[in-house]
Amino acid sequence: MASHLQRRVHSFSSALLAAVLAVAVALSFAAPSAAKLTPKYYQKTCPRAAEIVTQVVTSKQIANPTTAAGTLRLFFHDCFVGGCDASVLISTNAFNRAERDADINLSLPGDGFDVVVRAKTQLEIECPGIVSCSDVLALATRDLVTMLGGPFYPVLLGRKDALASKADTVEGNLPRPNVTASQMISIFAAKGFTVQEMVALSGAHTVGFSHCKEFAHRIYNHNNRGQNAFDPSMNPKLAEALQKACANYLKDETIATFNDIMTPGKFDNMYFKNLARGLGLLASDQILMSDPRTRPFVELYAANNTAFFNDFARAMEKLSVHGVKTGREGEVRRRCDTFNN
Ligand code: HEM
Ligand SMILES: *[C@@H]1O[C@H](CO)[C@@H](O)[C@H](O)[C@H]1NC(C)=O
Ligand SMILES: *[C@@H]1O[C@H](CO)[C@@H](O)[C@H](O)[C@H]1NC(C)=O
Ligand SMILES: CC(=O)N[C@H]1CO[C@H](CO)[C@@H](O)[C@@H]1O
């Protein structure tokens, strides 16, 4: 009787074990790919990978100081459209209009692409076919943020590069400067980011440039009140200066102005301090000050640079693993601008 019971218990428990294993296997397949990344991914196969990226990125940034902001924005755009998979680096060809040629990309600057290509070229000499373009872009972005005076954060490695890149997947995934606060919040929420993380990430606009057309409606003929009418939420001195700087913008599309007019090249919390004084450049910047859901975080970061750096660093770690591809979901591209096949 006892042995019968035991057998039953035994067979029950092995059935249970099998079930548990099945669930565990299912879970490991369902687990986010990010869980498979590790900072030591290239430790055996390309131990100097991170060091090589840092070297290349440092000399490029010294030679072309606009590289850092351009790369940071490029990374944001890559990660928000189908995950951090270097899909944004693919060039359009006769058969495919790639992500980077979606209209919103108009101003993605060449320096960001160039720095990745340079680092990849060095890596292909040292350890061919090993380091993915998406890992290079993630590392380069972190190094450049740090070079500008921003926080250091660890970068997990092991991303695979995308097997597709389509311009028509971009729209709707990336916020435009004319979004409402609610739209902005829902775009970030759809990617799993909280309102506070959204505000922290927006602090990236403490560096870099925007082209006049991105804020022209704030400084010229605002609400059809006449050519020099500007957005009342903008500081009048800034509005006047921008009206002058952008006077010729319809003829010269290349005119751009600093996102953070006070400390344009430094990664700091000045962006948030500016918002309190109406010195936000884009409508989507200034709106963070006026909306009650975002304003408390703007005030927190304006008052406390440490809080901003901590939260920006954590949010960048999260952004850096957003929708990553591992294993057979992608490939290690030989050239960052083209698929292997
Ligand atoms: C919250 C919604 C956001 C909107 C509406 C937005 C929009 C824009 C626009 C229109 C520009 C100017 C592009 C140009 O004219 O060249 C810009 C620049 C920039 N954006 Fe954003 N952005 C947002 C969030 C972010 C985030 C989350 C990051 C990074 C974490 C980021 C990083 C940058 C950087 C670094 C630049 C300067 C690029 C350069 O100097 O080349 N932005 N953004
Ligand atoms: C924002 O601007 C884009 C073009 O830049 C336009 O397609 C879109 O309709 C605008 N959205 C709103 C809410 O005005
Ligand atoms: C600033 O933020 C940090 C990190 O959240 C916190 O430890 C510190 O106490 C804050 N400083 C002030 C003055 O509130
Ligand atoms: C449609 C459009 O303007 N696409 C641009 C996207 O960005 C690249 C440069 O990276 C331009 O060459 C394209 O013209």
Side-chain angles (χ1 to χ4, degrees), residues 2 12 28 38 45 64 184 195 219-220 222 225 227 264 288 305:
F12 172 73
S28 83
T38 147
T45 52
N64 305 84
M184 206 196 294
V195 173
I219 57 170
Y220 299 124
H222 188 255
R225 289 181 296 110
Q227 179 57 14
L288 299 177
N305 192 57

Side-chain angles (χ1 to χ4, degrees), residues 29-74:
F29 275 115
S33 297
K36 295 178 193 157
L37 301 191
T38 147
K40 296 179 173 169
Y41 191 81
Y42 299 114
Q43 199 174 40
K44 293 215 174 69
T45 52
C46 194
R48 292 199 329 118
E51 194 187 318
I52 290 169
V53 172
T54 303
Q55 275 168 11
V56 172
V57 156
T58 303
S59 53
K60 168 80 186 175
Q61 172 64 13
I62 290 167
N64 305 84
T66 56
T67 304
T71 307
L72 176 54
R73 179 164 183 248
L74 189 63

Side-chain angles (χ1 to χ4, degrees), residues 3 43 61-62 75 96 104 112 153 172 177-178 220 285 292 316 319:
S3 78
Q43 199 174 40
Q61 172 64 13
I62 290 167
F75 184 58
N96 179 41
I104 199 168
Y153 54 88
N178 61 356
Y220 299 124
D285 295 325
M316 284 301 290
L319 179 66

Side-chain angles (χ1 to χ4, degrees), residues 296-316:
F297 303 122
V298 171
E299 287 170 343
L300 168 66
Y301 297 146
N304 188 334
N305 192 57
T306 307
F308 168 48
F309 274 26
N310 287 346
D311 291 358
F312 182 81
R314 296 295 81 77
M316 284 301 290

Side-chain angles (χ1 to χ4, degrees), residues 64-115:
N64 305 84
T66 56
T67 304
T71 307
L72 176 54
R73 179 164 183 248
L74 189 63
F75 184 58
F76 169 54
H77 282 209
D78 186 35
C79 295
F80 255 47
V81 182
C84 310
D85 59 5
S87 50
V88 75
L89 301 177
I90 292 290
S91 294
T92 290
N93 61 31
F95 309 102
N96 179 41
R97 190 159 168 265
E99 248 175 56
R100 65 187 278 184
D101 286 318
D103 174 57
I104 199 168
N105 278 353
L106 175 68
S107 47
L108 283 176
D111 286 329
F113 293 93
D114 185 61
V115 78

